[in-house]
Amino acid sequence: MAAGTTRFCAGIVSTARHVSLELKMADYSNKLYQQLEQETGVKTGYMKTGSISLAQTQDRLISLKRIASSLNVMGIPCEIITPKQVAQLHPLINIHDLVGAMYVPEDALVSSANVSLALATAASRNGVQIHERTSVSHVSVQKGRVTGVETDRGQIQCQYFVNCAGQWAYELGHSGEEPVNIPLHACEHFYLLTHPLKEPLASSLPTIVDPDGRIYIRNWQGGILSGGFEKNPKPLFTEGRNQLEIQNLQEDWDHFEPLLSALLRRMPDLEALQIMQLVNCPESFTPDMRCIMGESPTVRGYFVLAGMNSAGISYGGGAGKYLAEWMVNGYPSENVWPLDLKRFGTLQSSRTFLRHRVMEVMPLMCDLKVPRWDFQTGRQLRTSPLYDRLDAQGARWMEKHGFERVKYFVPPGKDLLDLDQSKTFYKPDWFDIVGSEVKCCKEAVCVIDMSSFTKFEISSTGDQALESLQYLFSNDLDVPVGHVVHTGMLNEKGGYENDCSIARLSKRSFFMISPTDQQVHCWAWLKNRLPDDSNLTMEDVTWKYTALNLIGPRAVDVLSELSYAPITPEHFPSLFCKEMSVGYANGIRVMSITHTGEPGFMLYIPIEYALHVYNEVMNMGQKYGIRNAGYYALRSLRIEKFFAFWGQDLDAFTTPMECGREFQVKLEKGMQFVGQEALLEQKQNGVYKRFTMFILEDHDTDADLWPWWGEPIFRNGRYVGKTTSSAYSYTLERHVCLGFVQHFDEKTGEELVVTTDFINQGEYEIDIAGQRFQAKAKLYPLSSLFTHRRRKDEVELSGYQRE
């Protein structure tokens, strides 16, 4: 027991997390550990010391204020304090370079080995058998399902297997009959232990986290325990040669020196301390700094919980709770998509990729993460055939599911270096660039390469495809050939497992377009639910098609000239799909949809024709003012039109009834589909949250902090929800935030139905890093205001109607 990396961890239980799900896990762990000793009789060393996160810069302080806003609305005590208050709470701390700090009084310390022992003791009392010093050779699988585990002491038959092997999870995943990819990689992690000081430190002194100094400091038996996350980490075991048990690795004082210097700067009175030991132990990290949990997409009953990124003791209790719920109920009690194993594909399992990525990830544990930052390693892995052409025209790239996507295009003559290094919580340097791309989308025509979309083809010899999809999707797919249906793929609770567009190519063939990061999740969901029928086939054709989004009022002119086909609304109505020639290329699937609410077309082009079609479109479009655009422009357009996107606004706990999409559900058609009962119940009883659009009123775009996502929403001074996405609307010349509003009884805290009147009759504020801005709430998007631009003071915000 407790033979993994968490056994050697610093034992700091901290709720100060950027991701709200991780924050909830840490809070649950803290409460669990607090009562563990009383429940089991095993001493856990639990001590509520509180923690202080230091800020040496204003940007760091803003980052802490954003976390503090989240903690406060979740009922976790937290305050932003001055350097003087830091000195009062921890007299040994040098405060001369601080601009402020965040104090979380209920953060705690534990002995991680003893917490493991207490949990194991409680489990044993409840009938769990624990076999120590037993190695697993492989997991047995039959017909895609776990059947047992082979160990050096014999076989154990089981229906469920949980890979909690920490830094060995990758190897164990690959040792089975059906490999399970678990992308993580170990790095050396150092911390220092000292003898007790002359005046031993009080056990109640708060833990210090100094991210700008890259270190943490806690009391340890009257002395100091201090470690950190250096800029030049040392990856371990890339070749897979792992010890069966973690032995203490070699001390490396030269490597630790920058962290030691930071410690002595922060606590200068420690010059005379006596060092007991420099501990060096492996710690596993994941490609996106978030832990990995959930069921394998390829093997039913094979679950994973690993890759804690040095926060194993903070997340352990909460992560265990969610995984247990997942296994028992089929789903956890929170949206865990940010941590789901299925957010990764096989492409993230390359050892070279993992080695390079963790060398970036470990320093990022302390680096300031401003909105829209991107990983720099493991890039240019999946690219569109147009990558080089777009790059040469000034494309600036971001990555989604390993796929390179354009953020925006830098015009000739702009200082590229300044733009690439621009990182801020305020108005970004790309503001005017994106504004000009949005203007072009509204007034002329733009091209956005959206090849990263997940694309499946589902077909059958008879009616099997239609019958199966009708049950698995909430909208009616029995439409005439050539029509496109926007539909949800719902779970039994009516929540969105996927939000997609499906085109009916023929009586027995369907083309399905999903978000980029749905490639693994959606495939696994459908594979597990489609009948095992040789006459029914599903193919992932993501790589076969380049997707170009032609947006704007002149898109119709460009396309009609290139295809010599009538593209008028009479011949090519909205949500229509037609196979056409564009230029010399045949077999282009053209859909009258842009995912933004603006007029235009999506072109799905066989990849061998991609460059030809792009060149033809750009050449023909010159006389119509065509230009390239990126995803930042798309984001602004879709948010001002109140379009929800899966993974940002929609998730497995969001239903069509909660986001104004009842019209996309076939409730009245007498057909059974997954999630139907839950939606009928909501239709009858009402919903407990509503997707709402907020327009910031008293917000100065140039001078104030921007909303990005995750900001608390207040109604009449009470917390009612969080924003899920936001963008500047270049049409309204204001910020627009999207988010969900809930209604709680003021006395009992009970959830109440959210009515239209409840939304419309409230006074709203959005909290951005502790500062609240007034906002107008709307349940339907503006339409009349998008036809022409008006000055801010002329904008009448009451003219909403359904698009």
Side-chain angles (χ1 to χ4, degrees):
M1 292 183 303
T5 57
T6 303
R7 179 178 72 170
F8 291 103
C9 80
I12 299 167
V13 183
S14 169
T15 51
R17 307 287 166 184
H18 287 278
V19 180
S20 63
L21 178 64
E22 293 177 343
L23 193 157
K24 288 175 184 175
M25 292 197 310
D27 186 45
Y28 180 86
S29 300
N30 196 340
K31 292 182 169 79
L32 174 70
Y33 302 156
Q34 199 170 344
Q35 66 196 42
L36 211 49
E37 191 170 320
Q38 189 179 342
E39 285 184 18
T40 64
V42 177
K43 290 190 182 301
T44 59
Y46 183 91
M47 170 71 71
K48 194 175 286 186
T49 60
S51 72
I52 303 172
S53 299
L54 309 179
Q56 295 182 30
T57 66
Q58 287 298 332
D59 272 350
R60 178 70 68 181
L61 190 59
I62 291 165
S63 177
L64 294 177
K65 285 177 177 177
R66 288 179 64 88
I67 295 173
S69 291
S70 293
L71 289 169
N72 282 323
V73 296
M74 285 187 60
I76 299 170
C78 170
E79 60 180 312
I80 298 297
I81 60 175
T82 64
K84 278 188 180 176
Q85 289 172 297
V86 173
Q88 289 165 4
L89 288 164
H90 201 310
L92 291 177
I93 294 297
N94 172 16
I95 62 169
H96 80 278
D97 58 348
L98 301 182
V99 296
M102 178 177 70
Y103 177 46
V104 185
E106 294 193 354
D107 279 357
L109 297 176
V110 293
S111 160
S112 51
N114 289 357
V115 165
S116 298
L117 183 59
L119 291 168
T121 301
S124 297
R125 287 175 188 166
N126 284 283
V128 172
Q129 293 180 30
I130 297 172
H131 300 277
E132 296 191 66
R133 300 192 176 278
T134 305
S135 63
V136 174
S137 57
H138 76 273
V139 179
S140 303
V141 177
Q142 284 181 10
K143 294 181 180 176
R145 208 179 175 91
V146 169
T147 57
V149 180
E150 289 286 348
T151 78
D152 58 353
R153 298 189 185 189
Q155 191 189 46
I156 302 170
Q157 289 188 326
C158 62
Q159 291 177 297
Y160 294 94
F161 174 76
V162 187
N163 184 337
C164 290
Q167 63 157 337
W168 297 293
Y170 179 97
E171 278 77 18
L172 181 56
H174 278 260
S175 68
E177 295 165 6
E178 291 271 347
V180 174
N181 292 307
I182 304 165
L184 51 78
H185 197 294
C187 281
E188 295 183 29
H189 180 56
F190 297 88
Y191 62 81
L192 184 76
L193 297 173
T194 77
H195 289 284
L197 307 187
K198 284 182 183 173
E199 283 186 34
L201 286 183
S203 58
S204 59
L205 270 182
T207 297
I208 299 293
V209 180
D210 182 3
D212 296 311
R214 319 192 75 81
I215 56 168
Y216 55 82
I217 309 163
R218 57 156 286 195
N219 163 67
W220 187 75
Q221 299 179 4
I224 293 283
L225 183 158
S226 178
F229 300 95
E230 62 274 23
K231 287 184 177 179
N232 55 332
K234 298 167 70 176
L236 276 169
F237 312 132
T238 303
E239 301 84 4
R241 290 197 300 273
N242 259 311
Q243 318 103 307
L244 273 174
E245 286 192 29
I246 297 172
Q247 305 299 328
N248 201 19
L249 299 165
Q250 295 296 310
E251 292 184 347
D252 188 339
W253 283 102
D254 289 341
H255 193 75
F256 189 72
E257 193 278 328
L259 301 180
L260 179 59
S261 297
L263 169 64
L264 295 176
R265 276 195 304 276
R266 189 55 58 213
M267 297 178 75
D269 293 347
L270 295 184
E271 291 286 3
L273 60 76
Q274 283 186 297
I275 292 166
M276 179 188 292
Q277 187 183 3
L278 180 62
V279 177
N280 176 5
C281 60
E283 178 61 69
S284 57
F285 295 88
T286 63
D288 61 0
M289 292 188 294
R290 300 197 298 266
C291 76
I292 298 172
M293 68 161 67
E295 190 174 17
S296 158
T298 52
V299 181
R300 302 298 301 274
Y302 192 120
F303 285 80
V304 177
L305 185 52
M308 291 293 167
N309 299 282
S310 198
I313 200 67
S314 288
Y315 297 154
K321 171 181 181 281
Y322 291 145
L323 195 72
E325 291 170 345
W326 205 330
M327 295 171 71
V328 173
N329 304 326
Y331 49 86
S333 57
E334 292 278 347
N335 169 39
V336 296
W337 172 250
L339 312 180
D340 194 326
L341 170 64
K342 290 184 282 294
R343 72 188 188 272
F344 296 119
T346 52
L347 56 102
Q348 282 98 354
S349 290
S350 148
R351 292 305 276 172
T352 307
F353 166 81
L354 288 169
R355 181 182 176 90
H356 291 174
R357 176 55 67 86
V358 297
M359 291 175 74
E360 180 183 11
V361 159
M362 194 167 164
L364 276 169
M365 302 296 292
C366 290
D367 287 352
L368 184 69
K369 286 174 279 295
V370 297
R372 313 269 177 98
W373 60 274
D374 300 294
F375 289 108
Q376 300 304 307
T377 53
R379 297 294 297 270
Q380 297 179 32
L381 191 56
R382 301 174 76 195
T383 60
S384 154
L386 305 177
Y387 180 87
D388 288 340
R389 284 280 279 121
L390 301 179
D391 198 55
Q393 295 175 79
R396 284 293 163 274
W397 301 93
M398 59 184 180
E399 169 255 332
K400 183 84 172 252
H401 201 63
F403 217 115
E404 295 294 327
R405 314 202 304 181
V406 181
K407 296 191 276 193
Y408 50 80
F409 285 82
V410 180
K414 214 44 173 153
D415 189 330
L416 304 190
L417 194 62
D418 276 2
L419 204 64
D420 287 344
Q421 293 177 348
S422 164
K423 295 182 169 72
T424 180
F425 290 99
Y426 290 90
K427 179 181 175 181
D429 284 356
W430 44 256
F431 179 81
D432 291 330
I433 294 173
V434 173
S436 61
E437 291 181 6
V438 167
K439 186 172 188 285
C440 188
C441 286
K442 288 183 168 294
E443 297 176 1
V445 57
C446 276
V447 179
I448 303 180
D449 184 342
M450 298 180 69
S451 303
S452 66
F453 271 161
T454 296
K455 301 173 274 289
F456 296 164
E457 282 180 10
I458 301 156
S459 56
S460 58
T461 53
D463 293 333
Q464 301 95 327
L466 176 63
E467 288 168 5
S468 301
L469 296 181
Q470 284 284 58
Y471 179 67
L472 293 174
F473 291 87
S474 58
N475 208 345
D476 187 4
L477 298 177
D478 194 4
V479 293
V481 171
H483 283 248
V484 181
V485 177
H486 192 188
T487 180
M489 182 176 84
L490 309 182
N491 53 38
E492 284 73 13
K493 303 185 301 300
Y496 281 97
E497 292 294 333
N498 184 13
D499 179 42
C500 55
S501 302
I502 299 181
R504 191 168 194 180
L505 301 179
S506 71
K507 284 280 186 189
R508 297 167 179 173
S509 175
F510 297 85
F511 185 48
M512 177 179 171
I513 314 297
S514 305
T516 303
D517 49 6
Q518 275 280 2
Q519 193 165 12
V520 177
H521 171 69
C522 181
W523 179 269
W525 181 271
L526 290 173
K527 267 291 183 192
N528 291 333
R529 286 161 181 80
L530 285 170
D532 189 9
D533 184 342
S534 59
N535 295 313
L536 177 66
T537 59
M538 179 169 70
E539 184 186 1
D540 185 344
V541 294
T542 300
W543 62 275
K544 284 188 176 182
Y545 292 95
T546 296
L548 292 184
N549 196 349
L550 210 57
I551 304 178
R554 308 312 298 266
V556 63
D557 300 306
V558 175
L559 197 56
S560 61
E561 287 203 46
L562 282 172
S563 61
Y564 291 98
I567 312 286
T568 56
E570 302 83 59
H571 296 94
F572 211 127
S574 181
L575 291 174
F576 201 68
C577 175
K578 195 183 283 186
E579 201 162 277
M580 300 169 60
S581 299
V582 178
Y584 298 153
N586 285 319
I588 314 297
R589 290 175 184 172
V590 179
M591 296 187 195
S592 47
I593 182 174
T594 65
H595 308 281
T596 62
E598 300 296 330
F601 303 90
M602 286 292 306
L603 278 59
Y604 290 94
I605 308 159
I607 56 168
E608 64 267 32
Y609 301 144
L611 204 53
H612 168 74
V613 171
Y614 173 77
N615 289 337
E616 290 289 298
V617 165
M618 293 305 284
N619 291 336
M620 184 62 73
Q622 279 187 354
K623 61 185 173 187
Y624 300 110
I626 199 166
R627 66 178 289 172
N628 291 299
Y631 273 80
Y632 284 10
L634 184 91
R635 184 187 184 92
S636 174
L637 291 166
R638 72 96 178 166
I639 287 175
E640 70 179 19
K641 283 289 178 77
F642 202 12
F643 276 30
F645 268 27
W646 191 89
Q648 294 170 42
D649 311 300
L650 308 178
D651 59 42
F653 286 78
T654 311
T655 75
M657 318 302 270
E658 294 163 351
C659 58
R661 291 187 174 185
E662 307 94 293
F663 64 97
Q664 291 180 3
V665 180
K666 55 193 173 204
L667 280 179
E668 311 298 330
K669 298 199 175 181
M671 285 181 272
Q672 275 200 321
F673 61 92
V674 178
Q676 184 178 24
E677 286 180 23
L679 298 190
L680 285 169
E681 190 179 317
Q682 283 193 333
K683 186 175 182 182
Q684 186 176 341
N685 301 331
V687 296
Y688 292 98
K689 63 180 180 182
R690 279 293 284 275
F691 193 50
T692 310
M693 180 181 194
F694 298 93
I695 294 147
L696 294 193
E697 297 274 87
D698 57 346
H699 183 268
D700 186 327
T701 305
D702 295 321
D704 290 326
L705 287 167
W706 274 30
W708 295 97
W709 60 276
E711 289 85 12
I713 303 164
F714 289 87
R715 178 187 182 275
N716 298 346
R718 288 175 60 84
Y719 171 67
V720 290
K722 281 189 172 183
T723 64
T724 50
S725 55
S726 64
Y728 182 80
S729 165
Y730 293 89
T731 312
L732 298 176
E733 297 183 347
R734 302 190 190 186
H735 258 98
V736 176
C737 301
L738 309 181
F740 285 91
V741 171
Q742 294 172 280
H743 184 190
F744 298 100
D745 186 281
E746 292 190 21
K747 291 177 182 172
T748 64
E750 180 191 356
E751 258 193 321
L752 301 174
V753 169
V754 178
T755 61
T756 303
D757 284 347
F758 179 80
I759 299 288
N760 291 336
Q761 291 168 10
E763 295 288 325
Y764 290 90
E765 293 171 305
I766 307 291
D767 178 321
I768 306 176
Q771 186 178 354
R772 294 190 191 180
F773 295 91
Q774 291 177 356
K776 271 258 170 62
K778 297 292 169 186
L779 286 169
Y780 304 109
L782 287 149
S783 59
S784 58
L785 291 181
F786 291 113
T787 53
H788 60 278
R789 206 176 173 94
R790 298 184 186 178
R791 291 168 53 81
K792 275 189 199 176
D793 51 354
E794 292 173 352
V795 172
E796 174 56 54
L797 289 177
S798 59
Y800 279 71
Q801 63 186 56
R802 182 187 295 278
E803 281 276 303

